[in-house]
Amino acid sequence: MTIGIDIGGTRIKGVLIDAATGNVLHRVVCPTNDSEDGRWKSAVLDTFRQLKAAAGGPVTGVGLSAPGIPNPANDAILCMPGRLPGLEHFVWADYFGAPVRVLNDAHAALMAEARYGAARDIRNALMLTLGTGVGGGLLVNGQLYQGYFQMAGHLGHITTDADSDYLGISNMPGNIEDAIGNSTVARRSYDRYKTTHELVDAYRQNEPLATLVWLTSIRRLAVTIAGLANAFSPEVVVLGGGIVQADDALFGPLKAFLDVFEWRPAGKFTTLRKAHFEDWAGAIGAAGAVGGEG
Ligand code: BGC
C-alpha cells in the first residue's frame, strides 16, 4: 500500500492505493483554503494521518503531487510563485515524519493515466490538467519526459495570444492557463461568473456572455492542442482536472474546433480522451510513483 496526496487549488485529495494494481482502497478530500497562510499545510498533514490510520498496517511510502517544479531530490517544490504560500522549499518528509516523494501535479496525473488509466498501453501521449491552473505532461516512448530541471511539460504556460496585456503568474502573455483555468473565470466574464461550473451551466442555457467566454476558451485550447500535436505527434491527448466534468460541453466544441484547426496529413488525427481518474489522477499518480526515481 502507498499513499498519494494531491494539493489542488480548490481541494486536497488523498488516496491509499494498492500500488501493484492502482486500486484505490480509501479516499480523503477536504478544501484547500490556500489564501490563509499555513492552514492548508495542516490540512495536508491531517489528510496523511487519516490515510495512515485507514491503512491499518505498514505503508510503503508517500507521494505528494503539487503545482510547481520539484527540486532535484524530489523532496520539496522548488518554484511555484503566486499559489499556495509557503509551498516553495517546504520539506514534507520533516513535517510528516515519513519519507515523501514530491512530484509536479500534472506529471503525477499523467503517470496515473499511463500506468492504470486512459493512456494505458500508449507510448506517446500528452496530458493537460484543466483546473485552477493548467498543467501538462509529456509521455515520450513510454517515459515521462521531464527535460532539464524537471520543468518540461509546463504546457499551461504556452501562449495563445502573444499580444495580450495579461501576464498571469507564469509571466507569459495570453497563456492557455489564463485562457481556460478556474482562476480567471471572473476576469474573463466581467465578474459575471465565479467558477467554471457556473460558467458552463450558463453556457448550457445559451446565455450569450457565457457562450462567448466558454467557446473562446475552448477555441484557444483547441489551437493549443493542435500546435502540441504538430510538435509531439502524440497518439492520444488526455484531458484531466476538474474542468473535464463539463463533459460534452467541453469535448463537443473542442472536437469541432479541432476539426477546423488540426493538421491531419493523410487523415492522421489526435485522439482525445477524458482522464480515467478525472481530478483524482494527481493523487493516484503520486501514490503509484513511490519508490521511483527522479
Ligand atoms: C503550474 C504548474 C502546474 C499547473 C497545474 C501551473 O500554474 O505552473 O506547475 O502543474 O499550474 O496545477
Side-chain angles (χ1 to χ4, degrees):
M1 285 185 288
T2 60
I3 286 175
I5 300 174
D6 177 52
I7 311 175
T10 319
R11 297 184 305 159
I12 295 162
K13 284 146 281 179
V15 292
L16 177 73
I17 70 163
D18 173 337
T21 60
N23 283 344
V24 177
L25 309 171
H26 194 75
R27 287 175 203 252
V28 173
V29 60
C30 69
T32 307
N33 289 326
D34 89 331
S35 52
E36 296 159 55
D37 193 5
R39 257 188 55 186
W40 63 270
K41 282 185 188 164
S42 37
V44 177
L45 182 60
D46 202 48
T47 302
F48 166 66
R49 287 186 176 145
Q50 286 184 52
L51 291 164
K52 221 175 135 208
V59 170
T60 317
V62 185
L64 192 116
S65 138
I69 300 170
N71 65 4
N74 282 90
D75 61 7
I77 290 289
L78 194 65
C79 174
M80 183 61 247
R83 279 165 70 189
L84 297 163
L87 174 67
E88 291 179 333
H89 308 290
F90 189 75
V91 178
W92 292 92
D94 298 347
Y95 194 48
F96 288 178
V100 181
R101 179 147 186 255
V102 178
L103 299 122
N104 169 267
D105 52 4
H107 287 183
L110 173 62
M111 291 322 291
E113 296 298 331
R115 270 196 191 123
Y116 323 107
R120 213 174 157 168
D121 304 325
I122 302 285
R123 292 192 52 78
N124 293 293
L126 298 186
M127 173 129 196
L128 284 162
T129 58
L130 311 175
T132 304
V134 170
L138 312 168
L139 190 77
V140 177
N141 294 327
Q143 301 286 323
L144 174 70
Y145 178 75
Q146 301 206 76
Y148 173 62
F149 213 62
Q150 304 200 69
M151 198 180 94
H154 272 74
L155 309 180
H157 296 199
I158 289 176
T159 188
T160 63
D161 175 11
D163 295 327
S164 167
D165 54 10
Y166 187 74
L167 300 181
I169 59 174
S170 67
N171 207 41
M172 175 63 97
N175 61 72
I176 185 62
E177 167 164 286
D178 295 326
I180 198 164
N182 291 326
S183 61
T184 55
V185 174
R187 195 179 59 79
R188 280 183 278 136
S189 67
Y190 309 103
D191 280 324
R192 177 90 65 94
Y193 304 105
K194 301 276 173 277
T195 64
T196 303
H197 190 78
E198 282 176 23
L199 175 67
V200 172
D201 268 359
Y203 162 76
R204 286 188 192 282
Q205 287 158 38
N206 298 320
E207 197 281 317
L209 178 67
T211 304
L212 175 67
V213 171
W214 181 238
L215 293 183
T216 300
S217 301
I218 298 184
R219 179 190 164 122
R220 292 188 167 173
L221 180 63
V223 168
T224 303
I225 292 173
L228 289 167
N230 292 338
F232 294 101
S233 195
E235 192 177 339
V236 163
V237 172
V238 182
L239 298 180
I243 294 178
V244 299
Q245 282 157 8
D247 239 319
D248 56 316
L250 170 68
F251 285 91
L254 182 56
K255 284 182 180 156
F257 281 128
L258 278 168
D259 284 346
V260 178
F261 300 124
E262 187 185 7
W263 182 43
R264 292 178 172 167
K268 175 255 172 212
F269 69 97
T270 309
T271 302
L272 291 180
R273 286 192 191 157
K274 183 173 168 178
H276 177 73
F277 300 111
E278 298 196 354
D279 58 345
W280 286 86
I284 294 169
V290 167
E293 289 169 13

